[in-house]
Amino acid sequence: MNRFARLATRVLTAPLGLVWLNPAADAAETLAECWPPEAQPAPGVMECCRRVAESERPQFLSHVGAGEAAFAFAGVPLIGSSGGLLGILAAMDSPHRVWSEDDVRDLADLAAACSAQMRMRKRSDNGRVAREAAEDAAHAAKGQAHRAQARLSRSELLLRAAEDLADTSGLDDVRQRVGDLVSGDLKPACIDLVLLRQGRLHHVRSPIDGDQAGLPEWFALDSLWPAARAVRENRIIVIDAPPEADPSSDGFGSPAFALQHLATVACLPLRGARGTVGALVLGWDAPYSIGVEERAVLTTLAGYTAQAVERALHLDERVTAARQLQRAMLTVLPDAPGLELAALYRPAARDDMVGGDWYDAYPLPDTANGEVMGGLALTVGDITGHDMHAAALMGQVRSMLRQADHDHPGKGPHQALTALERACSHLDLQASGTLIHAHLRPAADGYWHLQWSNAGHPAPLLVTTDGTVDSLTQHDALLHHAMPPQPRTCAARSMAPGSTLLLYTDGLVEERGEDIEANIDRLAQLLAVAPPEIPLPALLRSLLNTVGPRAAEDDTVLFAVRIPAR
């Protein structure tokens, strides 16, 4: 359950989350799971949880206790299928926090998902009991072995469904696991999962099947397809021996089955907590008998699927919002005459799929005396973390660094970086991480003058015209809110036509159990042998696929600047 405590801290941006099971005063055993795991909730927190348990109503308190022990409390009861209290989902923050309506809704949604998982676990236990009872019956009455075996298979199917569908992470995952479940026991020839969105039924396409090119994206809810009827009428619809003539008739399950020669089709409505969310359609190419017991199994399977679909939709909405925020803060590369620019960003494959890595490029302002010098500012940085908080800090740092360049026209990148640190210190912005900030200005004969200041970031790699790769190792200390601002240094190089500069974050070369220096050497070797005419986007993709870790545990940015050869 500490997974939901962790989700509560992330969604509400609170430092402490708690799931308290069996909180009744006379309970024989209670269990409290916290996030972070090593946290120990104060007695006042447990008292607030008891109040939620006694009232069985949510409580959102902005200030509890006094002095250093004061805190803000948000708690929602976890309700079982029979209406009984299962536990408490709570989050704590610093005192005087006013919980917003979004906080209330988000914690209530998390509590609903937590309650659903607890109910599913209880059903799993019931399934195990049923399986053991079926096994005893099979040994006691050999004459009923076939029937007992059938019941055992159904119980195992439902047990696996409860366990497998309780841990899905997206709609593709839900469809894949449902397919795996029914293909081993019910053995349908094909399945289709359709979801109700904006009054239409949309197919959840298979992530592995490649024969869906002609499948329509959606079909109308008021159509004659049995899947649409199952959703409208909220009941199981079984079709035996469907006609093969008219695909628009009510003989087929859904458009996905229009060209299939099926003997039996079952359309199961997916009833969720907020109504019917779609339909699960199963088709058999031989006659398949669906009796009372089979209908019960299918109904339960559809219920588990509906819960998994609702949870996946909720998580997909959060991940989509997070990705949109990340994309909004990543720069559209400017048009820079005389330069080629390309950038690539890959988020860590976990958490909110966003993080603190970024790249930036923008024209430099004129000098203070009005002389037009032109040029471009380049930045690649890594704010600590792979979550929404890190992304928010990154957005602030990125904007402040841009402002520092425009407030110090004609100055070097080290002065803009020093100004950024001073602003973070004065504003008490708790930002830490690494970055490299560079200025690139045109010089004579097609050359460009590069200046950079490095705050603890991996060294850029410069590919010269003869294919030599130089590591620009000059650097200062990293950024950290606990360190007082110090004067930054600046290094410079001349870049000739035909040279390429690569900036990157440590997610490209850092992998658990691997030597980071060896990976940087490998990256330099690949740059040295890369054809000079290869397009920069293709070069970055090749570097990421070759050097980048297979399981991305950190965000990764690659940013390349090339001066075209004359």
Side-chain angles (χ1 to χ4, degrees):
M1 289 296 110
N2 66 351
R3 178 176 60 176
F4 287 94
R6 175 174 62 84
L7 286 173
T9 61
R10 176 149 304 130
V11 172
L12 272 64
T13 61
L16 178 62
L18 172 69
V19 175
W20 190 18
L21 305 181
N22 300 327
D26 58 347
E29 181 181 0
T30 61
L31 176 62
E33 296 187 15
C34 299
W35 190 266
E38 66 273 9
Q40 294 294 329
V45 172
M46 309 308 288
E47 182 59 30
C48 289
C49 289
R50 290 190 183 92
R51 293 177 186 172
V52 175
E54 291 171 359
S55 63
E56 295 189 4
R57 297 178 63 85
Q59 290 194 17
F60 291 82
L61 308 174
S62 61
H63 188 92
V64 179
E68 295 182 355
F71 58 93
F73 175 84
V76 177
L78 304 176
I79 305 302
S81 57
S82 61
L85 183 68
L86 300 176
I88 306 296
L89 176 63
M92 280 61 71
D93 203 344
S94 56
H96 306 296
R97 170 170 176 172
V98 178
W99 304 98
S100 66
E101 293 183 0
D102 288 341
D103 294 335
V104 174
R105 285 195 298 268
D106 288 344
L107 191 58
D109 289 344
L110 279 178
C114 185
S115 300
Q117 181 159 339
M118 293 170 69
R119 292 195 296 268
M120 292 172 70
R121 287 186 177 181
K122 186 175 181 180
R123 292 190 185 115
S124 298
D125 292 339
N126 293 338
R128 292 188 183 94
V129 173
R131 180 178 63 182
E132 293 170 358
E135 289 174 342
D136 293 341
H139 287 94
K142 292 183 179 180
Q144 307 247 339
H146 179 73
R147 183 177 180 84
Q149 184 61 41
R151 290 177 177 174
L152 176 61
S153 298
R154 295 186 184 102
S155 297
E156 290 178 337
L157 170 63
L158 296 181
L159 175 61
R160 291 197 307 273
E163 293 176 343
D164 291 354
L165 295 176
D167 195 32
T168 49
S169 57
L171 291 177
D172 287 344
D173 194 15
V174 173
R175 190 191 193 284
Q176 182 63 46
R177 295 203 190 188
V178 170
D180 293 342
L181 285 166
V182 300
S183 62
D185 295 82
L186 303 177
K187 297 181 176 60
C190 47
I191 71 168
D192 190 23
L193 180 62
V194 295
L195 301 184
L196 180 60
R197 293 177 173 174
Q198 299 178 344
R200 298 174 175 178
L201 291 171
H202 294 255
H203 298 274
V204 178
R205 296 176 179 264
S206 170
I208 58 173
D209 293 343
D211 56 350
Q212 300 176 311
L215 185 65
E217 181 180 353
W218 60 271
F219 59 102
L221 180 61
D222 59 357
S223 64
L224 297 177
W225 296 103
R229 289 176 49 207
V231 175
R232 290 198 309 267
E233 301 170 16
N234 198 22
R235 66 183 181 90
I236 297 179
I237 293 181
V238 178
I239 306 295
D240 292 316
E244 301 179 1
D246 185 6
S248 66
S249 71
D250 62 356
F252 295 92
S254 71
F257 294 175
L259 301 179
Q260 303 286 340
H261 298 282
L262 302 173
T264 303
V265 173
C267 304
L268 317 172
L270 301 178
R271 304 184 185 97
R274 301 179 181 177
T276 304
V277 297
L280 175 63
V281 190
L282 307 177
W284 291 265
D285 51 12
Y288 189 82
S289 175
I290 301 179
V292 175
E293 293 183 354
E294 205 77 8
R295 282 177 176 262
V297 171
L298 293 175
T299 300
T300 305
L301 176 63
Y304 291 151
T305 304
Q307 292 177 357
V309 165
E310 285 190 325
R311 184 172 58 255
L313 289 174
H314 178 71
L315 294 176
D316 284 350
E317 288 172 359
R318 294 199 62 81
V319 170
T320 298
R323 288 176 174 172
Q324 289 174 345
L325 172 64
Q326 184 81 48
R327 284 195 295 267
M329 290 190 292
L330 291 177
T331 299
V332 176
L333 296 179
D335 183 16
L339 296 174
E340 296 177 13
L341 307 177
L344 182 61
Y345 171 81
R346 182 181 70 177
R350 60 180 182 180
D351 299 329
D352 287 326
M353 300 292 287
V354 296
D357 288 27
W358 87 99
Y359 62 86
D360 200 5
Y362 49 88
L364 287 167
D366 299 340
T367 59
N369 59 10
E371 179 185 358
V372 178
M373 298 184 65
L376 206 64
L378 313 171
T379 309
V380 165
D382 180 3
I383 296 298
T384 305
H386 329 288
D387 53 20
M388 293 289 287
H389 178 65
L393 281 177
M394 175 269 286
Q396 292 176 278
V397 170
R398 169 183 174 274
S399 299
M400 292 166 65
L401 187 57
R402 281 187 165 213
Q403 183 65 41
D405 262 333
H406 283 78
D407 283 347
H408 299 81
K411 305 297 183 182
H414 60 299
Q415 291 167 300
L417 193 52
T418 300
L420 166 68
E421 286 189 288
R422 289 173 179 166
C424 289
S425 177
H426 292 157
L427 297 174
D428 195 24
L429 187 64
Q430 304 289 305
S432 62
T434 67
L435 68 87
I436 183 165
H437 186 53
H439 288 177
L440 192 59
R441 297 185 184 275
D445 298 327
Y447 282 69
W448 287 72
H449 184 64
L450 172 68
Q451 290 180 297
W452 76 93
S453 185
N454 190 332
H457 200 75
L461 298 176
L462 177 62
V463 185
T464 61
T465 54
D466 60 0
T468 302
V469 179
D470 293 337
S471 179
L472 308 183
T473 57
Q474 297 87 342
H475 70 278
D476 299 323
L478 52 76
L479 297 175
H480 199 282
H481 55 84
M483 299 169 57
Q486 299 290 334
R488 293 283 174 177
T489 61
C490 182
R493 283 286 296 266
S494 179
M495 292 180 60
S499 56
T500 301
L501 177 68
L502 176 67
L503 310 175
Y504 57 94
T505 59
D506 58 4
L508 177 65
V509 293
E510 189 173 46
E511 186 173 11
R512 189 174 302 176
E514 298 288 336
D515 183 2
I516 187 171
E517 295 299 332
N519 286 338
I520 294 176
D521 291 342
R522 185 181 176 200
L523 178 64
Q525 293 170 6
L526 291 173
L527 282 172
V529 300
E533 69 277 3
I534 184 174
L536 286 184
L539 174 63
L540 297 185
R541 287 193 299 270
S542 176
L543 294 176
L544 178 62
N545 294 335
T546 306
V547 181
R550 292 179 295 274
E553 296 185 357
D554 196 1
D555 309 316
T556 303
V557 162
L558 294 90
F559 186 16
V561 181
R562 175 187 289 164
I563 303 174
R566 287 177 295 195

